[in-house]
């Protein structure tokens, strides 16, 4: 499936810094795995181009499990029954539409693609968040007919005005979340709520193939190098290893592996039990939930589960567009000069992947350090997850961001999709990223535009 692009030249950046050469390999952000063929609305749906023939069948089966709408048990379609009883959506693709990214719902729309993680103050099992005794760790706004759904989410947006240093005005949307109609008793005043939108699914196996020690080596928890940036690792519970491991996936690096993230999605988002989480997520007081029929033990067969994990691991990162265009080249230099690259680490080399050799030893360009950062009051959710505190978020990869509009028809960014553009996403940065944000605010309009052109080329 692989086709090589003609070798790109190295472009000199428009900066006095002689060392700031644009690396030709960044044109293929996923190395040999890069999707060079399929852009437009299917830009995130391609398998890695070097996918081995023996993995193709599993990819396509995994694709069908990712897109399948699950049904309530018992059903004649036993391969995908067992939905709920409580759930957020019926399929993975309802939230990760076209393997892409969700946006916050407009008022009155169903809350697909944005979910609320819940906990109460204190520490839960294995040092993780302490779920609410009835509502658990996530609000499920939908349920099967005879089971009460947990509640409804309402988002209220305040408009916050601001100005760039040159006087150009902007506004930011600041959302508040309320849970209406709580079906299982009132919610406590000190309930901790973390809103999250579904991110795009590309390049995840490559990120998983970065060696733990390489990520740990870049952490600087006490800001020993005194640059104002103190990236930290999360350490989260690994259900299969029964031990704490480096957190990698989710907006707070909540999950140690794609496998556990997928199992968590099946259970928490769709009510489907799996080999990793074999028990339905019905709490003691949720009696109708506990009395409902299940679709087998586990509800997704181990083989189908493995294929969904493989699928989630090998969706390809798309090739850069407008690579080498003057504004993009200038924007890349600004990205470094404004301090963005301190957290959005441009490049990594993957280690040996245990089961997918296609992902091994690739030079990749995700633009993330995979570490947690204090992003200030504005973005804080106040809900700790293992080592991540209520102000910290993991630096998200920036690859593919310029194609979100083509794939999903929107440009909503950040953990809850509050930013309506890439510029708004930057303007929300605070905490450790305050200096970078201020540098962006102070930059001339032409430089800001070039920076955005660079981000759109990713
Ligand atoms: C209700 C919407 C929803 C559904 C359904 C859903 N997801 Fe997600 N997905 C999310 C959200 C929100 C996140 C971010 C989670 C977090 O930060 O904790 C996410 C994160 C992920 C990630 C990690 C991505 C990253 O960059 O860290 C993977 C992998 C994933 N989902 C796979 C799946 C699979 C496979 C399914 C179906 C079994 C699925 N999801 C179903 C909303 C959803
Ligand atoms: C201190 C580390 C840090 C610095 C410096 C930083 N970022 Fe970020 N960036 C983050 C984190 C963490 C998030 C996720 C925040 C959230 O979702 O609430 C983020 C999110 C983003 C997003 C949205 C990504 C998405 O998937 O929604 C963009 C775009 C972005 N940053 C660009 C930049 C640019 C451009 C700069 C320089 C002007 C910059 N960042 C500087 C840490 C940083
Ligand atoms: Ca079920
Ligand atoms: Ca729940
Ligand atoms: Ca530092």
């Amino acid at each position: 499936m692989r086709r090589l692009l003609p070798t790109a030249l190295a472009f000199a950046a428009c900066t006095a810094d002689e060392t700031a050469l644009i690396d030709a390999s960044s044109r293929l952000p996923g190395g040999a795995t890069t999707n060079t063929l399929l852009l437009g609305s299917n830009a995130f749906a391609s398998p890695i181009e070097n996918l081995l023939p023996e993995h193709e069948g599993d990819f396509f089966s995994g694709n069908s499990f990712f897109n399948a709408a699950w049904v309530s048990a018992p059903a004649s379609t036993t391969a995908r029954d067992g939905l709920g009883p409580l759930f957020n959506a019926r399929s993975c693709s309802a939230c990760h539409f076209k393997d892409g990214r969700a946006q916050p719902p407009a008022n009155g729309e169903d809350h697909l693609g944005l979910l609320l993680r819940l906990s109460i103050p204190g520490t839960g099992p294995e040092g993780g968040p302490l779920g609410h005794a009835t509502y658990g760790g996530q609000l499920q706004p939908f349920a099967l007919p005879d089971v009460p759904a947990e509640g409804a989410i309402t988002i209220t947006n305040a408009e916050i005005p601001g100005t760039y240093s040159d006087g150009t005005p902007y506004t930011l949307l600041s959302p508040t979340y309320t849970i209406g109609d709580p079906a299982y008793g009132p919610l406590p005043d000190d309930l901790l709520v973390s809103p999250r939108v579904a991110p795009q699914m590309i390049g995840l196996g490559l990120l998983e193939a970065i060696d733990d020690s390489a990520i740990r080596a870049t952490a600087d928890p006490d800001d020993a190098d005194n640059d104002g940036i103190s990236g930290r690792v999360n350490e989260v519970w690994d259900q299969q290893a029964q031990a704490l491991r480096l957190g990698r996936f989710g907006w707070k690096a909540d999950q140690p592996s794609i496998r556990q993230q997928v199992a968590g999605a099946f259970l928490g988002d769709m009510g489907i039990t799996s080999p990793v989480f074999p028990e339905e997520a019905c709490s003691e007081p949720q009696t109708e939930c506990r009395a409902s029929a299940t679709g087998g033990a586990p509800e997704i067969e181990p083989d189908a589960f493995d294929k969904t994990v493989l699928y989630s691991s090998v969706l390809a990162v798309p090739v850069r567009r407008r690579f080498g265009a003057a504004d993009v080249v200038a924007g890349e230099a600004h990205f470094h000069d404004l301090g963005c690259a301190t957290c959005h680490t441009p490049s990594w080399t993957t280690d040996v992947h245990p089961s997918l050799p296609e992902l091994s030893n690739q030079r990749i360009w995700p633009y993330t350090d995979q570490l947690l950062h204090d992003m200030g009051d504005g973005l804080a959710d106040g809900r700790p997850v293992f080592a991540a505190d209520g102000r910290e978020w993991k630096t998200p990869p920036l690859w593919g961001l310029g194609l979100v509009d083509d794939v999903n028809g929107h440009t909503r960014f950040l953990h809850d999709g509050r930013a309506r553009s890439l510029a708004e996403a930057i303007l929300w940065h605070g905490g450790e990223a305050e200096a970078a944000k201020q540098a962006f605010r102070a930059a001339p309009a032409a430089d800001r535009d070039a920076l955005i052109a660079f981000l759109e080329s990713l």
Side-chain angles (χ1 to χ4, degrees):
M1 297 184 97
R2 175 98 193 101
R3 198 194 64 176
L4 276 172
L5 282 184
T7 313
L9 297 169
F11 294 92
C14 301
T15 160
D17 180 357
E18 292 289 307
T19 61
L21 280 183
I22 303 296
D23 191 310
S25 75
S26 65
R27 180 179 196 148
L28 298 176
T33 72
T34 307
N35 156 26
T36 61
L37 302 170
L38 194 65
L39 293 179
S41 67
N42 288 317
F44 297 157
S46 169
I48 53 177
E49 281 190 7
N50 61 349
L51 189 70
L52 291 170
E54 61 259 42
H55 293 146
E56 281 177 24
D58 288 357
F59 175 83
F60 291 109
S61 314
N63 179 53
S64 67
F65 281 103
F66 192 83
N67 288 305
W70 287 70
V71 296
S72 60
S76 51
T77 48
T78 53
R80 44 185 187 84
D81 72 345
L83 176 71
L86 296 163
F87 57 93
N88 291 69
R90 290 182 163 79
S91 66
C92 309
S93 61
C95 296
H96 301 278
F97 186 60
K98 288 187 155 299
D99 308 299
R101 177 177 184 111
Q103 60 178 322
N107 273 336
E109 253 176 37
D110 275 351
H111 285 73
L112 296 175
L114 181 133
L115 56 82
L116 300 185
R117 298 216 183 285
L118 308 175
S119 47
I120 55 172
T123 305
E126 289 93 28
L130 183 57
H132 184 272
T134 305
Y135 291 92
Q138 181 171 324
L139 187 85
Q140 282 86 14
F142 300 101
L144 298 180
D146 296 326
V147 181
E150 289 186 327
I153 308 165
T154 309
I155 307 177
T156 318
N157 283 309
E159 294 243 3
I160 305 179
T163 46
Y164 290 102
S165 305
D166 65 10
T168 310
Y170 58 79
T171 60
L172 300 176
L173 287 188
S174 175
T176 355
Y177 301 87
T178 39
I179 301 172
D181 310 321
Y184 300 90
L187 292 156
D189 290 339
D190 58 358
L191 186 73
L192 308 177
V193 177
S194 182
R196 316 269 179 107
V197 289
Q200 64 273 22
M201 295 282 301
I202 53 171
L204 300 179
L206 291 168
L207 294 175
E208 189 163 45
I210 299 174
D211 190 48
D212 275 24
S213 60
I215 296 172
R216 290 179 191 281
T218 64
D220 181 21
D222 305 315
D223 191 15
D225 65 0
N226 220 1
D227 64 355
I229 311 281
S230 60
R232 304 196 308 131
V233 293
N234 206 351
E235 306 278 1
V236 302
W237 185 250
D238 185 308
Q239 186 64 23
Q240 287 188 310
Q242 292 286 301
L244 289 173
R245 269 181 56 196
L246 180 72
R248 289 174 184 263
F249 299 100
W251 289 98
K252 273 188 194 274
D254 311 50
Q255 295 289 356
S257 62
I258 297 173
R259 190 175 173 79
Q260 187 166 317
Q261 176 84 46
V262 171
F266 269 118
L267 188 68
D269 303 349
M270 287 152 58
I272 307 295
T273 59
S274 68
V276 181
F277 296 119
E279 278 167 46
E280 295 276 10
C282 306
S283 66
E284 206 67 55
Q286 292 177 325
T287 46
E288 298 90 340
C289 185
R290 298 173 73 84
S292 291
T294 67
E299 291 172 326
I300 181 161
E301 311 266 322
D303 182 57
F305 176 72
D306 287 346
K307 289 170 177 166
T308 315
V309 175
L310 178 136
Y311 177 78
S312 302
S313 305
V314 298
L315 285 160
V317 176
V319 62
R320 295 269 304 273
R321 286 85 48 219
R322 301 193 64 243
F323 190 79
D327 55 346
V328 170
V329 171
E332 181 163 0
H334 301 321
F335 187 79
H336 287 268
D337 294 344
L338 299 179
C340 312
T342 343
C343 300
H344 293 282
T345 309
S347 182
W348 294 85
T349 299
T350 64
D351 198 15
V352 173
H353 190 284
S355 57
L356 297 164
E358 303 93 312
L359 302 174
S360 301
N361 306 314
Q362 298 292 335
R363 175 101 192 263
I364 60 168
W365 295 80
Y367 299 92
T368 169
D369 58 5
Q370 302 266 80
L371 299 175
L372 298 166
H373 297 279
D374 179 332
M375 293 298 284
D377 287 331
L379 290 174
D381 64 355
R383 178 179 180 270
V385 176
F386 292 94
D389 72 25
R391 298 164 59 89
E392 286 175 313
W393 298 100
K394 186 196 73 181
T395 312
L398 301 180
W399 51 19
L401 281 199
L403 287 164
V404 169
D405 198 9
D406 288 2
V407 174
N408 297 115
H410 68 80
T411 53
R412 302 299 292 259
F413 299 104
L414 298 174
H415 66 271
D416 58 358
R418 66 178 67 189
R420 292 165 295 185
S421 64
L422 292 165
E424 285 188 17
I426 302 167
L427 292 165
W428 270 110
H429 281 50
E432 294 168 41
E434 181 68 24
K437 189 263 295 290
Q438 293 303 349
F440 176 69
R441 275 188 64 233
D447 293 6
R448 299 198 306 263
D449 290 348
L451 178 71
I452 301 297
F454 165 67
L455 295 174
E456 284 176 341
S457 79
L458 298 178

